[in-house]
Amino acid sequence: MTVLAHRVDTVTRDALAVLQPGFEGTTAPAWLLRQVGQGLTAVGLFGRNIASAEQLAALTAQLRTERDDVLVAIDEEGGDVTRLEVRGGSSFPGNLALGAVDDTDLTRDVARELGRRLAECGVNLNWAPSADVNSNPDNPVIGVRSFGADTHLAARHTAAYVEGLQAAGVAACTKHFPGHGDTNVDSHHALPRIDVDLDTLQARELVPFKAAIAAGTKAVMSAHILVPSLDPTRPATLSPQILTGLLRKELGYEGLIVTDGMEMNAIAGTYGIERGSVLAIAAGADAICVGGGLADEETVLRLRDALVAAVREGALPEERLADAAARVRALAEWTSRARPDARPEGSRASGIGLTAARRAVAVTGSPRPLNAPYVATLAPVANIAVGDETPWGVAAELASLLPGTEAGVYPEGAAAADILAAAGDRTVVAVVRDEHRHPWMTAAVDALVAARPDTVVVEMGVPMAAPRGSLYIATHGASRVCGRAAAEVIAGA
């Protein structure tokens, strides 16, 4: 009886160790501290948990009162996907901007500075970078989160990002394996299918992940995508062929494998999070990311109990669960021992985000003096990864440079006539985001330029549409510093 009880306790602790749950609030709830004390080894943070750097540091210190090696994970890509600066916009450009500059030293330094800020707040695992090659321009969920559509460019910047982030003592989690770039479906909503052959996968999707592994990435995140050439029945997160056969055996990866959010509909809507979590661990995943939407103790206990029951019933080998838990603990130990590199001296560290954003701007046409323009932001529905709570655009930054600037936000269905009526005799600055994916934006911009040839167009997504207007600016991202860089061009600053 004592041996059996000890065995069950060990399995329960291992089941808790492989979970990476979220929670509500800016302080750790009692239930979370209790579960950390009982074996939970990792916690995921989201924008709802962060009010300031000081508050975040206090929160992570609170978590470490229960165990000093707890993994505190965050989805901080910089650029459009930010949690540290969710309410004001990121101080760093995202991957596409860094890829547009194509200076790996800059990418490495940006990632190091971002990692330094995370480490100062007590965060030691970052679910970044995105190593996806954005080969499908209609991709609704990757876009500017990718370094670009060129495989080898994406590979060298992925490696540089991993090196920079981990030089700050923060573990990188390269995502979304085996590559989420060639899809036109958002896995938050449904299960994407990528129909490419093995040769294409080897020559395109897998190259950046090989570079990340060579650079020593401490974690890799799986994608909720179906790739029939690798596994015709199960998405990557649940596939032994992909996680164990391809990632572990063929590519030789020995670090932590983390799932993408299990409450995303690609898994929750097809397998359910309990069964999906069991299948993921059995397939070779080591950590279950959950908590973007589900953020309570009940979810943690449901998943813990599902894993324990699967071991008892023989559906999940106890050794596989123990191996997964050991990998989580090994990463926690690495983070507790990591010694960050010294911070670079001077403005390259402190102002590197704006510097990078300025370098990423591409301009067609010649800036001319403006008074107070009218900024019309043509706003699409934000994808869930980005969220709709983070402000974007150029209006606020331009108003700080050109006092008297006025602005309006126009959702799908807005007509150019509405914008022109609001603008009056002011020069119109039309701000778009992935115009090529939104025909209504193209129609509005075309009508604006036809009526007012002096219209300025700013593309803050992937620049695929034809440049037009008196001035066309591509920022390669919609972070706060990207908006600032565009505003400086418009204002001639």
Side-chain angles (χ1 to χ4, degrees):
M1 182 67 70
T2 302
V3 172
L4 178 59
H6 175 72
R7 175 179 176 275
V8 171
D9 287 344
T10 299
V11 172
T12 300
R13 285 195 296 274
D14 287 347
L16 279 173
V18 303
L19 302 180
Q20 293 187 352
F23 61 95
E24 300 284 350
T26 54
T27 60
W31 71 260
L32 184 65
L33 295 174
R34 180 168 59 250
Q35 294 303 326
V36 171
Q38 293 177 6
L40 188 68
T41 309
V43 174
L45 299 181
F46 298 86
R48 63 181 180 238
N49 304 122
I50 300 169
S52 68
E54 295 75 18
Q55 168 269 325
L56 178 56
L59 169 58
T60 58
Q62 183 187 17
L63 290 168
R64 292 193 171 95
T65 60
E66 295 296 328
R67 59 180 304 157
D68 57 10
D69 66 342
V70 66
L71 283 170
V72 180
I74 198 169
D75 196 5
E76 180 57 55
E77 299 176 12
D80 291 27
V81 180
T82 180
R83 309 305 178 216
L84 283 181
E85 300 178 278
V86 66
R87 292 168 184 82
S90 180
S91 300
F92 301 90
N95 283 5
L96 188 66
L98 295 172
V101 178
D102 196 13
D103 177 346
T104 52
D105 288 338
L106 179 67
T107 295
R108 190 176 294 105
D109 288 346
V110 165
R112 183 189 294 114
E113 178 64 10
L114 180 59
R116 185 192 65 79
R117 296 190 189 185
L118 290 172
E120 281 188 345
C121 296
V123 177
N124 53 13
L125 171 60
N126 191 10
W127 294 319
S130 169
D132 308 295
V133 179
N134 198 50
S135 55
N136 187 338
D138 291 328
N139 196 315
V141 67
I142 301 300
V144 297
R145 301 167 66 197
S146 166
F147 289 109
D150 182 280
T151 297
H152 296 289
L153 179 145
R156 60 180 173 264
H157 286 277
T158 295
Y161 197 106
V162 167
E163 291 165 356
L165 191 64
Q166 294 186 170
V170 175
C173 182
T174 306
K175 60 189 182 184
H176 306 81
F177 187 83
H180 209 311
D182 189 15
T183 176
N184 59 5
V185 173
D186 185 343
S187 51
H188 290 90
H189 302 299
L191 178 61
R193 177 186 174 109
I194 298 182
D195 287 302
V196 296
D197 57 36
L198 290 175
D199 288 342
T200 301
L201 282 169
Q202 289 286 352
R204 188 178 66 189
E205 272 75 13
L206 296 183
V207 174
F209 290 97
K210 292 176 182 177
I213 292 169
T217 186
K218 295 296 179 181
V220 168
M221 178 176 282
S222 67
H224 302 331
I225 55 174
L226 187 67
V227 188
S229 60
L230 294 174
D231 187 331
T233 59
R234 287 188 180 178
T237 294
L238 312 183
S239 170
Q241 293 96 308
I242 294 174
L243 298 188
T244 299
L246 176 58
L247 184 53
R248 287 279 187 231
K249 294 181 179 178
E250 184 175 334
L251 300 187
Y253 176 64
E254 293 295 331
L256 191 75
I257 300 176
V258 183
T259 72
D260 206 345
M262 296 300 284
E263 71 272 34
M264 293 165 62
N265 208 43
I267 299 297
T270 53
Y271 293 85
I273 63 168
E274 292 96 336
R275 181 172 177 237
S277 296
V278 170
L279 291 174
I281 297 296
D286 305 305
I288 302 296
C289 175
V290 65
L294 300 171
D296 52 41
E297 187 172 24
E298 179 187 355
T299 299
V300 172
L301 296 180
R302 281 166 53 201
L303 296 180
R304 180 201 67 184
D305 292 347
L307 292 166
V308 171
V311 169
R312 289 175 175 170
E313 295 162 4
L316 174 63
E318 183 176 348
E319 296 77 11
R320 171 77 276 272
L321 179 61
D323 173 65
R327 290 181 190 274
V328 174
R329 294 177 186 127
L331 181 58
E333 182 183 356
W334 178 84
T335 61
S336 67
R337 291 185 288 103
R339 294 293 177 265
D341 289 354
R343 185 185 187 195
E345 295 296 329
S347 61
R348 184 164 176 83
S350 60
I352 194 168
L354 181 55
T355 297
R358 287 169 174 158
R359 291 180 62 185
V361 167
V363 179
T364 303
S366 300
R368 60 183 181 80
L370 293 180
N371 293 317
Y374 182 79
V375 180
T377 302
L378 281 61
V381 176
N383 73 60
I384 293 176
V386 173
D388 57 8
E389 68 268 52
T390 303
W392 66 281
V394 303
E397 297 293 342
L398 194 54
S400 72
L401 297 173
L402 297 176
T405 294
E406 294 188 359
V409 177
Y410 296 86
E412 183 173 0
D418 301 325
I419 297 171
L420 292 170
D425 60 359
R426 296 167 180 263
T427 299
V428 175
V429 177
V431 184
V432 295
R433 200 172 186 178
D434 289 342
E435 181 201 328
H436 67 283
R437 295 198 301 109
H438 303 286
W440 67 274
M441 283 187 196
T442 298
V445 171
D446 285 345
L448 286 171
V449 171
R452 298 273 188 87
D454 64 344
T455 296
V456 175
V457 180
V458 181
E459 170 61 85
M460 302 195 78
V462 180
M464 299 289 293
R468 59 232 195 264
S470 64
L471 183 66
Y472 182 89
I473 302 170
T475 61
H476 301 94
S479 71
R480 179 176 56 79
V481 288
C482 290
R484 178 69 185 188
E488 290 174 349
V489 173
I490 296 167

